[in-house]
Amino acid sequence: MRLTPYGAAKTVTGSCHLVEYQNYRLLLDCGAYQGSEDDRNNEPFGFEPATIDAVVISHAHHDHIGRLPLLIRRGYKGRVYTTRPTQLFLPVILEDSLHLMSEERDRLVRKGKQPPPLNWDEADLRELYTRLEVIPLEQSLEFGPFQVRLGDAGHLPGSAFIEVRAGGKRLVFSGDLGHGAKEVLPDPKDAAPADLALCEGTYGDRSHRPFPETIAEFAHILSETLGKGGKVFIPSFALERTQEILFYLRDLEEKRQIPSVPVFVDSPMASRISDIYPSVREYFSEEVQALYRQGRDPFRPRGLEYTQSVEDSKALNELEGPLVIIAGSGMLAGGRILHHLRHGLPEENNALVIIGYQPRGGLGRLLIEGAQRVRMFGEDVPVRARTHTLGGFSGHAGQDELLRWLQGEQRVALVHGEADKLEILRQKLEQRNTRAFLAEWGQAIEI
Ligand SMILES: [Zn+2]
């Protein structure tokens, strides 16, 4: 068996790996590059899409599915296999991505510039939808000479690690591994030791602090801010993170650790995702499933409302606190959250709670660093609201969890992490006599 990474090599995005055995070619993930690397999405894949026999997807994040429409446009003829939740989330993620690409084109046209041709369009997306094929977790399936099995990775509902066997050898690809201490999703399942483990290392350099500490701090910020009539702004990803915040808002409200206040999810995309949740309830933790069995919605604090239209979103600015607003984008790179911050940052009773990664030089990072004024929509906005950072909500396994998951492995190739973080994880693995190396783009690994 031969494995060749064509993405997420010494970087966190663009997950895409080719596995070959006897003329059969299996692709694991086909993700987009994001952030400062997104121009790499226009480049050749490194392999000929028409020669791929089957594609298996680990989970629905954009950096694991984002180049599927392009793969089809460039000649892929086969089917795309994944779990049912991933199949249901995929259109929400990719339609949003198409919408953002179109907006960017319109912006360039308005500036009198010639926009580059779209990488892929609606027709490619429609074609992709006809190719999707659901496979269950834990069942062994045959793809040519390969036997493939998906195990629960605990990172999103229906997220999977992928075991591939052929010619007496076994490969396990971690996909993205979840942060086990959190309560919404099951812990990542163990994989059987393999001849090669291809493993993510997003948090290869450090472990998360105990999760109950994160929740206690979250409760403290909420009760303090809401208690004085303030507004709490939470920039969040639409898929999973938003619903997880709702889960804890409901839980803290029930335990009377925070007051019952209006909670607005100002994101049509998050609303679509939340609508899918009840239909995939068997992919959640026991605790969440038990709440569903009692006829309750685990993701609904009492004062919850979803806003859809731009008018409704703007109307939120007129409301008095106390209230909570959750909106995208999670990285403050655009989206409705910016309008709420323009109105809310000058008020000292308000709070901004950062729960996700903020890129260097971005608005979120400036606020975390204590900026007194920020530039938004061409205006100077004074910052009097407090900014809090809660790193513990990460959806990825910390270093200790990665090392535990890799217990028993003899040979590990590291991907999906910044090179310096992967290097720290590599040294940890070497210290316990596991052979480990950083995978390189386009360099084949024999198994
Ligand atoms: Zn992911």
Side-chain angles (χ1 to χ4, degrees):
M1 199 168 11
R2 177 188 295 146
L3 163 73
T4 315
Y6 286 107
K10 296 184 179 172
T11 182
V12 273
T13 62
S15 182
C16 185
H17 307 289
L18 179 65
V19 191
E20 298 166 278
Y21 182 68
Q22 294 174 346
N23 293 333
Y24 196 95
R25 309 184 100 198
L26 187 65
L27 197 66
L28 307 180
D29 284 353
C30 192
Y33 286 101
Q34 289 174 292
S36 59
E37 290 190 299
D38 70 354
D39 49 347
R40 294 181 72 176
N41 293 321
N42 307 319
E43 292 172 3
F45 280 101
F47 52 83
E48 187 48 60
T51 65
I52 303 295
D53 294 289
V55 179
V56 182
I57 295 292
S58 67
H59 67 285
H61 275 147
H62 194 244
D63 59 327
H64 295 256
I65 62 171
R67 281 187 292 168
L68 280 170
L70 183 65
L71 189 77
I72 286 184
R73 171 173 277 207
R74 292 191 178 163
Y76 175 58
K77 296 281 181 274
R79 308 197 77 77
V80 175
Y81 298 87
T82 189
T83 63
R84 201 163 70 85
T86 303
Q87 187 203 30
L88 295 173
F89 297 144
L90 178 145
V92 186
I93 304 296
L94 293 181
E95 283 163 28
D96 180 64
S97 166
L98 184 62
H99 176 72
L100 292 176
M101 286 197 297
S102 310
E103 270 189 351
E104 176 61 13
R105 276 176 68 85
D106 293 349
R107 196 180 63 82
L108 290 173
V109 170
R110 275 200 306 276
K111 282 184 160 181
K113 291 184 183 157
Q114 174 72 34
L118 275 180
N119 247 347
W120 51 270
D121 60 20
E122 178 130 19
D124 303 307
L125 204 49
R126 299 278 152 222
E127 178 59 27
L128 169 62
Y129 295 166
T130 70
R131 311 278 191 90
L132 296 174
E133 217 45 78
V134 167
I135 53 177
L137 290 173
E138 301 298 341
Q139 254 178 51
S140 195
L141 298 155
E142 286 187 14
F143 291 85
F146 291 109
Q147 283 202 310
V148 173
R149 187 185 74 93
L150 305 189
D152 199 328
H155 169 73
L156 285 185
S159 68
F161 61 82
I162 306 172
E163 277 183 5
V164 179
R165 283 185 292 157
K169 300 283 184 183
R170 188 201 295 262
L171 159 73
V172 61
F173 166 48
S174 67
D176 287 356
L177 292 173
H179 177 180
K182 298 199 296 180
E183 286 148 286
V184 172
L185 294 168
D187 292 353
K189 296 270 181 307
D190 290 333
D195 296 283
L196 181 83
L198 178 67
C199 189
E200 70 124 323
T202 317
Y203 281 87
D205 60 331
R206 61 197 154 105
S207 303
H208 300 303
R209 72 167 172 173
F211 192 64
E213 288 179 16
T214 295
I215 290 300
E217 191 181 345
F218 186 44
H220 177 74
I221 297 164
L222 287 163
S223 59
E224 190 181 65
T225 309
L226 299 171
K228 59 187 180 193
K231 300 179 181 179
V232 176
F233 304 103
I234 310 179
S236 177
F237 297 112
L239 170 56
E240 214 279 311
R241 196 65 51 83
T242 291
Q243 293 77 15
E244 182 177 42
I245 292 297
L246 294 174
F247 175 89
Y248 287 107
L249 288 174
R250 176 202 54 76
D251 192 52
L252 292 170
E253 183 182 48
E254 275 174 23
K255 290 174 178 157
R256 299 181 187 276
Q257 291 184 30
I258 60 168
S260 216
V261 299
V263 174
F264 297 95
V265 173
D266 188 19
S267 161
M269 188 177 167
S271 169
R272 279 183 79 183
I273 297 287
S274 297
D275 286 345
I276 295 170
Y277 266 33
S279 68
V280 294
R281 61 184 67 183
E282 67 272 28
Y283 290 87
F284 289 95
S285 66
E286 265 310 310
E287 187 178 345
V288 167
Q289 292 189 43
L291 287 163
Y292 274 125
R293 277 197 297 275
Q294 293 163 20
R296 307 183 45 208
D297 183 342
F299 306 99
R300 181 166 281 279
R302 242 179 277 158
L304 177 64
E305 256 183 67
Y306 286 92
T307 37
Q308 301 288 347
S309 69
V310 173
E311 292 71 42
D312 288 349
S313 172
K314 284 184 179 156
L316 297 183
N317 293 319
E318 308 302 321
L319 298 178
E320 299 281 324
L323 54 82
V324 176
I325 296 179
I326 306 170
S329 82
M331 287 202 260
L332 295 173
R336 292 180 175 185
I337 190 71
L338 296 184
H339 294 275
H340 299 306
L341 291 183
R342 177 170 61 166
H343 284 87
L345 287 177
E347 301 295 327
E348 64 178 3
N349 280 346
N350 295 344
L352 166 66
V353 182
I354 301 278
I355 53 168
Y357 176 76
Q358 299 300 317
R360 224 162 265 152
L363 175 64
R365 192 66 81 94
L366 293 175
L367 290 166
I368 291 167
E369 286 164 358
Q372 304 277 306
R373 316 186 70 79
V374 287
R375 193 93 189 140
M376 299 178 77
F377 305 102
E379 284 174 25
D380 247 347
V381 178
V383 182
R384 295 189 196 94
R386 290 191 60 186
T387 299
H388 306 267
T389 315
L390 282 178
F393 278 103
S394 165
H396 285 269
Q399 186 195 62
D400 50 349
E401 295 174 281
L402 290 168
L403 290 169
R404 207 176 312 129
W405 195 77
L406 289 167
Q407 201 80 47
E409 299 295 347
Q410 299 297 314
R411 188 176 176 222
V412 178
L414 295 171
V415 284
H416 202 289
E418 288 159 11
D420 53 340
K421 297 182 180 177
L422 296 181
E423 176 55 25
I424 291 169
L425 182 60
R426 189 193 70 76
Q427 286 173 18
K428 285 273 174 193
L429 288 163
E430 292 281 348
Q431 278 164 20
R432 67 172 199 211
N433 295 322
T434 305
R435 270 187 300 154
F437 57 96
L438 275 57
E440 301 276 353
W441 190 95
Q443 283 196 14
I445 303 163
E446 296 295 335
I447 304 166

